[in-house]
Amino acid sequence: MRVYISFGSNIGDREQQINEALNKLQQVRDTELVTVSSLYETAPVGGVIQDDFLNGAAIVETSLTPIDFLNEIQRIELELGRERKVHWGPRTIDLDVLLMDDYIIEHERLNVPHPYMHERSFVLIPLAEIAPEAVHPILNKSIKELVTVDPEVRRYK
Ligand SMILES: Nc1ncnc2c1ncn2[C@@H]1O[C@H](COP(=O)(O)OP(=O)(O)OP(=O)(O)O)[C@@H](O)[C@H]1O
Ligand SMILES: Nc1nc2c(c(=O)[nH]1)N=C(CO)CN2
């Protein structure tokens, strides 16, 4: 199964934490990291006053089940010291599943496509860089069609 993920960090050495998360992802069993986007510096979305994020997206190929893959990314978040305090608040690392093939999953622990991905340019801009043709299976639109220009999402590296 092809999985599209987004990642973000806004506490501590953001770039280092993203690199560590991607290294750990590369070591997950039966999983290959296919493509990683550039990093983008993004203004915080959602109303919580907090520092800017570094965000990006990646393409992963895995033969794990969707829940086993979620378990692995949640383990990586915990290993990198992620604490769940403020909803939508600051985090050392956040890994979200955006798309899994063309699956629509409504599970208590996993909603795919990610319910907010189509309205978040900090997700769509990095994803459009690496997967413009990927299709949102509920909206039936490609990422290229969903993405819009946003001056608050700036190419970083
Ligand atoms: N597509 C998904 N990717 C990652 N987690 C998901 C997904 N769908 C549901 N979840 C569930 O969401 C829960 C909360 O995740 P998390 O704390 O990362 O939310 P958040 O990052 O604060 O908000 P958001 O989901 O809007 O990014 C997790 O425990 C996970 O089981
Ligand atoms: N720019 C930006 N804003 C956010 C982010 C994020 O990754 N980037 N994550 C959030 C919680 O999921 C809330 N707000």
Side-chain angles (χ1 to χ4, degrees):
M1 146 179 92
R2 184 149 284 224
V3 182
Y4 300 85
I5 65 164
S6 69
F7 50 82
S9 170
N10 78 333
I11 315 180
D13 189 335
R14 302 171 298 171
E15 203 176 334
Q16 158 77 17
Q17 284 154 181
I18 288 169
N19 286 335
E20 252 182 78
L22 293 173
N23 281 336
K24 286 177 183 284
L25 197 59
Q26 243 164 345
Q27 289 158 32
V28 171
R29 70 198 145 95
D30 302 324
T31 298
E32 186 200 345
L33 186 57
V34 177
T35 313
V36 180
S37 75
S38 309
L39 296 181
Y40 294 80
E41 185 149 51
T42 70
V45 168
V48 178
I49 294 174
Q50 55 184 324
D51 293 338
D52 284 357
F53 283 77
L54 284 187
N55 283 112
I59 305 175
V60 173
E61 193 62 42
T62 185
S63 52
L64 297 178
T65 64
I67 292 294
D68 281 343
F69 184 78
L70 177 71
N71 286 335
E72 293 296 326
I73 65 173
Q74 290 189 340
R75 173 184 56 76
I76 293 170
E77 287 182 335
L78 286 175
E79 286 176 4
L80 287 173
R82 164 97 187 258
E83 294 173 38
R84 285 173 199 283
K85 287 188 187 142
V86 182
H87 179 55
W88 284 17
R91 58 270 321 274
T92 51
I93 192 76
D94 183 27
L95 297 170
D96 282 333
V97 175
L98 304 174
L99 302 170
M100 292 178 142
D101 284 340
D102 58 353
Y103 301 161
I104 296 170
I105 302 173
E106 291 178 37
H107 178 278
E108 58 177 359
R109 293 183 52 211
L110 183 62
N111 291 294
V112 178
H114 189 286
Y116 304 115
M117 65 173 285
H118 59 284
E119 54 193 44
R120 291 178 163 176
S121 50
F122 68 78
V123 168
L124 293 174
I125 290 174
L127 188 59
E129 179 195 327
I130 58 171
E133 310 294 342
V135 171
H136 189 297
I138 297 177
L139 302 176
N140 287 311
K141 284 189 178 164
S142 67
I143 302 307
K144 202 171 52 188
E145 292 174 285
L146 291 170
V147 72
T148 55
V149 175
D150 185 343
E152 305 228 292
V153 175
R154 305 174 295 273
R155 179 83 179 265
Y156 177 78
K157 199 168 190 185

